[in-house]
Amino acid sequence: MNYPKHVQIVEVGPRDGLQNEKQEIPASVKIELINKLSAAGFHNVESGSFVSPKWVPQMATSADVFAGIARKPGVIYSALTPNMKGFEGALAAGAHEVVIFGAASEAFSQKNINCSIAESIERFRPVAAAAKANNIRVRAAISCAYGCPYQGEVSIASVIDCLERFAEMGCEDIGIADTIGVGTPALVYETLSAAAKAFPVEKISGHYHDTYGMACANVLASLEVGVATFDTSVAGLGGCPYAKGATGNVATEDVLYMLHGMGITTGIDLDAVCEAGQFISQALGRAPHSRVNRALAAKRAG
Ligand code: HMG
Ligand code: MG
């Protein structure tokens, strides 16, 4: 199999990982986590969201977080921005990349961002244009590409339709997301093969929640298509407040262990990520969800 030789990992733990946590996490803890992750070698750390604090209270501290981090040269600190108000927040905070997040499912679009897919595209258009005017990268996310918690099945055609709209806006990267972790490798392969016909494969990324334990297998299926960028979350933290029952993103440690074991480089220090995973898990009062993190901790201890 002809896998990519190098893979880029976008660490989304500080955003996707923490957004669904009910307990208040001080900005200082988020800042320390982001600093540990930057030191571990990620090229992109998704560090917060400029969304309504009524909708996602945990992300209300994002401006403080961006103000407090020790920025490592070369690292992209990215943020979610659903509309122009969010973009202005991200611009003021000095985010290097904004993420506009739509959905392939009409029902999820309504629940997550309170508008139809078509309305969301009209809201994203000025965000993408303003980002370009300010030399800020634009990434897009397509939620519910493999299934929706409200409407069930989602067609590949609706994923491609959404992808084409984001492509037309000039997005530098388009992430195809399994929000509720229901996808299986053959469907991932089929979807990404169709996506790669509509948009350059090197600008497509995979975002897998691990609810059904399929995420590493889905990363492998993506590699087979030539996709070489993935969003992962330290310690396997995460979930979306508007996708009930969905668990965290695929754990960064698990993906790194798999990739490095296959001889694929990432530029990321797995031990340093494990340490960051232990740090945030202790702060949350639980063990890391990452099996690799737990296995390596047991090996070190014993
Ligand atoms: P809305 O209520 O329709 O917004 O929410 P509105 O424009 O009518 O404004 C209502 C109020 O919200 C106003 O304040 C606005 O100022 C304020 P008020 O006058 O009532 O005091 N407001 C904002 N405040 C801060 N920042 C903003 C902002 N915009 C409006 N940007 C809105 C629409 C999009 C704002 C809301 O639905 C929202 O914030 N949704 C965010 C949901 C979210 O963050 N979900 C999780 C992230 S997506 C995800 O996890 C999926 C992903 O990981 C991929 C995957 O796994 O699928 C990316
Ligand atoms: Mg997600």
Side-chain angles (χ1 to χ4, degrees):
M1 194 56 75
N2 201 12
Y3 295 120
K5 303 223 168 349
H6 183 79
V7 158
Q8 301 253 44
I9 301 286
V10 177
E11 171 54 55
V12 299
R15 194 283 301 173
D16 206 345
L18 298 183
Q19 69 181 8
N20 205 25
E21 288 294 333
K22 297 291 169 277
Q23 57 183 299
E24 196 182 321
I25 305 164
S28 59
V29 170
K30 297 175 184 171
I31 290 166
E32 193 171 342
L33 174 65
I34 293 167
N35 290 345
K36 284 180 187 295
L37 293 167
S38 315
F42 293 94
H43 82 294
N44 190 330
V45 183
E46 207 169 270
S47 303
S49 296
F50 292 88
V51 298
S52 161
K54 287 188 193 132
W55 283 65
V56 187
Q58 188 62 257
M59 289 292 109
T61 53
S62 291
D64 299 333
V65 169
F66 269 86
I69 51 182
R71 291 174 189 241
K72 186 175 158 194
V75 175
I76 296 167
Y77 295 94
S78 49
L80 264 60
T81 55
N83 52 21
M84 279 308 288
K85 188 174 168 80
F87 175 77
E88 279 148 22
L91 179 66
H96 299 128
E97 180 185 70
V98 292
V99 185
I100 47 184
F101 50 105
S105 142
E106 203 57 71
F108 187 78
S109 181
Q110 289 289 352
K111 296 276 187 193
N112 193 43
I113 51 175
N114 205 24
C115 61
S116 67
I117 296 173
E119 283 163 340
S120 76
I121 296 295
E122 291 320 308
R123 283 182 199 176
F124 297 145
R125 226 182 275 288
V127 174
K132 296 240 167 255
N134 285 279
N135 270 329
I136 293 175
R137 284 172 53 89
V138 188
R139 177 152 53 94
I142 304 175
S143 286
C144 295
Y146 300 101
C148 169
Y150 307 103
Q151 77 176 44
E153 268 188 38
V154 172
S155 70
I156 294 179
S158 53
V159 177
I160 302 305
D161 183 55
C162 198
L163 177 109
E164 283 171 341
R165 293 177 198 221
F166 281 135
E168 184 222 317
M169 269 180 233
C171 293
E172 267 113 327
D173 177 288
I174 302 179
I176 300 184
D178 189 0
T179 312
I180 53 171
V182 290
T184 47
L187 181 61
V188 167
Y189 187 89
E190 195 187 345
T191 304
L192 293 181
S193 299
K197 291 197 181 98
F199 194 63
V201 72
E202 59 278 9
K203 295 180 169 191
I204 295 173
S205 57
H207 178 114
Y208 303 109
H209 286 261
D210 203 20
T211 319
Y212 287 81
M214 294 292 111
C216 273
N218 290 338
V219 169
L220 194 62
S222 313
L223 293 171
E224 287 172 10
V225 180
V227 168
T229 305
F230 298 95
D231 297 349
T232 68
S233 176
V234 62
L237 301 169
C240 173
Y242 298 99
K244 292 250 175 307
T247 61
N249 297 87
V250 64
T252 306
E253 298 92 316
D254 297 8
V255 172
L256 291 179
Y257 181 84
M258 181 176 90
L259 295 174
H260 295 172
M262 293 168 69
I264 297 171
T265 59
T266 62
I268 300 160
D269 177 348
L270 173 57
D271 288 334
V273 180
C274 286
E275 204 270 308
Q278 292 288 344
F279 163 76
I280 190 62
S281 299
Q282 269 162 32
L284 296 171
R286 64 168 94 107
H289 284 303
S290 162
R291 310 251 296 250
V292 167
N293 194 324
R294 291 204 306 260
L296 291 177
K299 195 172 163 194
R300 267 194 303 275

